[in-house]
Amino acid sequence: MHEGAIVHSLLESAKEIRIKEKLKEITEIKIVVGRFHQIIKEVMLTNFEYMKTEYNGFENAVLNMTEEDVKVKCNYCGHEFSIDEPIFMCPQCDSFETELITGKELYIATMEGTK
Amino acid sequence: MDKKEVKVMQKILNMNDKIAEELREELSKKNILFINLMSSPGSGKTTIMERTAHEFGTKMCVIEGDIQTTLDAERVAKAGIQTYQINTGPFGGDCHLESGWIKSAMEEIEMADLEIIFVENIGNLVCPAEFDVGAHVNAVVLSVTEGEDKPLKYPLAFQNSQLCIISKTDLLPYLDIDINVIKENIKKVNPKMEVIELSAKSGEGFQSWFDFLKRS
């Protein structure tokens, strides 16, 4: 259940951004989450619906979460591939000399609100 | 009503990460090694700490993270070392530690003679891996009784760590567990991970652990 703590951090950051950008009512927050975090979208959205009511200006905000696939690069043969299982072996040359390129993202991309 | 979209591109956990980075820098300046131990409940973290305390004595300190009770801190304190207990709260308490908790703990710890600080994170292989606590080394403790598949089931903990301690190896003769399969699964998830096998009951393997700590 790390989703609750992540939504809390998200709203704390968004609260400051709302003030800095002089936005009144926040209508949408777009976030990007890499699949490696094993964050469950439905749980994020449910937590957000409950927790946003404690933040001024977020009562009508919608959370829009985009998930990023886990992509890996083989440093031995250069092959780039997506994985569904956490196995960091190159399917082309069987090397484990690999590194994660995407899949660990966890950031706020944009926020939309009324001026 | 006029709407405006602003580009943010900010990490969601940036406050946690900022405090964690400050802690890491501060401890580096003081030449203190900070190790974050993560595992399932009952993997043997506290027993490992007890035996480690006999080697390093008052040069080490353990921050115990639990949802409830001071049982672990009391156990480790018996070895004569400094301990600090964090309780995240019995009803709906957090299932992981964040850097803010650690910062508060660090303010209470007497650091003058310390060379190593350990944090025993809350027993849970999922959530703790998400939050940087400011450690120089993240280590996963995996006991042989947990099964061979755990690295594949909880990949983030293994990906975000540099060391895996396979514990309770004295139980291997009684289990249908092949330690080589555990190691193969660790390698699949994190090919660069260092692995130490030990038994806190017999003491076997502890020299490798002590050597790791001394060179880190």
Side-chain angles (χ1 to χ4, degrees):
Chain A
M1 267 304 290
H2 47 328
E3 287 87 354
I6 290 167
V7 171
H8 176 74
S9 297
L10 164 67
L11 281 161
E12 285 295 313
S13 296
K15 182 174 80 175
E16 287 178 20
I17 295 159
R18 173 181 164 261
I19 295 165
K20 195 178 114 199
E21 298 290 342
K22 298 186 173 65
L23 296 170
K24 284 180 187 152
E25 287 277 319
I26 300 299
T27 48
E28 187 184 36
I29 304 176
K30 283 185 184 164
I31 62 169
V32 177
V33 177
R35 290 188 197 275
F36 212 80
H37 288 284
Q38 296 182 304
I39 286 171
I40 300 163
K41 194 172 184 174
E42 290 71 22
V43 181
M44 283 291 280
L45 299 180
T46 307
N47 271 290
F48 184 79
E49 286 307 308
Y50 277 101
M51 291 164 82
K52 71 179 186 183
T53 57
E54 292 171 23
Y55 290 80
N56 280 338
F58 287 83
E59 292 83 355
N60 298 310
V62 172
L63 183 64
N64 189 327
M65 172 172 151
T66 303
E67 290 176 274
E68 194 79 54
D69 283 340
V70 182
K71 285 188 188 145
V72 178
K73 185 185 177 190
C74 175
N75 289 328
Y76 190 73
C77 74
H79 182 52
E80 289 185 14
F81 52 100
S82 292
I83 54 172
D84 295 322
E85 286 182 299
I87 298 173
F88 286 73
M89 188 179 82
C90 175
Q92 201 157 277
C93 72
D94 293 350
S95 170
F96 278 105
E97 293 292 321
T98 54
E99 64 177 313
L100 190 123
I101 314 169
T102 64
K104 280 192 180 175
E105 298 77 5
L106 189 58
Y107 65 88
I108 306 171
T110 60
M111 271 172 60
E112 185 195 70
T114 56
K115 287 196 275 185
Chain B
M1 209 180 282
D2 259 4
K3 276 187 187 175
K4 176 181 161 190
E5 186 184 73
V6 293
K7 197 174 175 184
V8 180
M9 305 304 283
Q10 179 179 306
K11 281 186 176 178
I12 291 175
L13 300 179
N14 76 320
M15 274 311 289
N16 181 78
D17 293 353
K18 190 168 168 272
I19 296 169
E21 200 50 54
E22 284 169 8
L23 282 170
R24 201 163 17 248
E25 274 178 30
E26 193 189 322
L27 292 168
S28 296
K29 276 185 203 155
K30 290 181 172 151
N31 269 326
I32 297 174
L33 176 67
F34 181 27
I35 298 196
N36 176 26
L37 296 172
M38 296 181 282
S39 79
S40 311
S43 66
K45 295 189 294 298
T46 310
T47 315
I48 292 170
M49 286 295 94
E50 286 173 313
R51 219 176 235 278
T52 307
H54 290 301
E55 175 78 7
F56 290 93
T58 52
K59 289 178 189 164
M60 70 175 260
C61 163
V62 183
I63 300 171
E64 295 285 353
D66 285 294
I67 291 177
Q68 177 69 314
T69 82
T70 55
L71 295 171
D72 284 358
E74 286 163 24
R75 267 177 63 188
V76 180
K78 280 184 189 156
I81 62 158
Q82 248 193 111
T83 58
Y84 185 91
Q85 179 76 53
I86 297 172
N87 281 139
T88 59
F91 305 109
D94 278 345
C95 50
H96 60 274
L97 294 177
E98 296 184 20
S99 56
W101 287 102
I102 304 297
K103 188 173 188 249
S104 304
M106 294 285 185
E107 284 163 7
E108 302 292 325
I109 292 168
E110 178 50 61
M111 298 211 184
D113 298 325
L114 291 183
E115 289 179 11
I116 314 174
I117 298 175
F118 295 94
V119 59
E120 261 196 59
N121 217 310
I122 303 207
N124 175 347
L125 266 183
V126 185
C127 312
E130 202 71 67
F131 298 87
D132 186 355
V133 292
H136 299 103
V137 177
N138 283 330
V140 184
V141 181
L142 178 68
S143 59
V144 292
T145 51
E146 290 169 54
E148 296 156 343
D149 55 0
K150 292 303 168 290
L152 303 176
K153 283 188 171 172
Y154 304 98
L156 194 66
F158 287 85
Q159 249 282 320
N160 285 354
S161 299
Q162 296 78 46
L163 173 72
C164 179
I165 297 171
I166 303 178
S167 64
K168 305 189 187 180
T169 52
D170 55 287
L171 294 176
L172 279 169
Y174 312 104
L175 304 169
D176 291 327
I177 295 281
D178 183 346
I179 198 164
N180 290 320
V181 176
I182 299 178
K183 288 197 274 188
E184 278 165 24
N185 285 338
I186 292 168
K187 191 185 170 194
K188 282 177 187 168
V189 178
N190 185 349
K192 293 182 186 124
M193 192 171 228
E194 192 164 338
V195 177
I196 293 172
E197 301 163 36
L198 55 76
S199 159
K201 193 175 175 75
S202 70
E204 201 179 347
F206 264 76
Q207 198 51 54
S208 305
W209 167 232
F210 297 152
D211 292 344
F212 174 88
L213 294 172
K214 284 168 189 166
R215 72 167 186 270
S216 292

